[in-house]
Amino acid sequence: MLSICIRSFISRNLAWALLWQAGFLVVSGSVFVCILAVVAPEHLVSLPVSLLCGAYVIAWLAGLVTPGAPAGIGVREAVLLFLLGNVLPHADLLLAVLIGRMVTVFGDTIYFAISSFIKVDNFNRLNATAYQL
């Protein structure tokens, strides 16, 4: 609904950016839930996935907007421990949070490596195509 309003009144590109960001947050939260499912499957049964995914998104946003913390290092983890500390055992939660940080660092590294091999020609062509949308 919000995307449709933005597309109608502001910009189609901004609406697409909002949709891509929402998709990213859903995928990021889902990855954290999958990590929790591996680390603590017995505790995951009683908790709604939306609660866990939402907690991860809130923690990610807190890390994003915290000044002086590059990539929110430590902030996301602290917020997750605060939000889910009463719901999950501390050892399982801490392990899931640390694995989650390793997954994001690994993903960022792979993304950087792949993007560094894209030639400038291809980037300019992709960029021109994106603006035509």
Side-chain angles (χ1 to χ4, degrees), residues 2-15:
L2 179 62
S3 179
I4 293 170
C5 290
I6 290 174
R7 182 178 179 190
S8 299
F9 296 111
I10 299 175
S11 165
R12 189 167 72 178
N13 290 337
L14 187 60

Side-chain angles (χ1 to χ4, degrees), residues 47-71:
L47 297 172
V49 173
S50 59
L51 171 87
L52 299 171
C53 193
Y56 185 82
V57 169
I58 290 170
W60 183 85
L61 290 171
L64 177 71
V65 299
T66 302

Side-chain angles (χ1 to χ4, degrees), residues 33-119:
V33 171
C34 289
I35 291 170
L36 274 174
V38 170
V39 172
E42 64 279 356
H43 298 289
L44 200 63
V45 175
S46 62
L47 297 172
V49 173
S50 59
L51 171 87
L52 299 171
C53 193
Y56 185 82
V57 169
I58 290 170
W60 183 85
L61 290 171
L64 177 71
V65 299
T66 302
I73 192 144
V75 175
R76 178 179 10 172
E77 290 80 6
V79 171
L80 274 171
L81 291 173
F82 175 76
L83 291 175
L84 299 175
N86 294 332
V87 180
L88 294 167
H90 290 287
D92 292 340
L93 181 58
L94 185 59
L95 181 61
V97 166
L98 290 175
I99 291 172
R101 178 54 81 168
M102 290 189 307
V103 165
T104 57
V105 167
F106 183 70
D108 289 345
T109 303
I110 288 178
Y111 181 78
F112 172 76
I114 291 171
S115 65
S116 66
F117 290 114
I118 296 175
K119 294 181 181 179

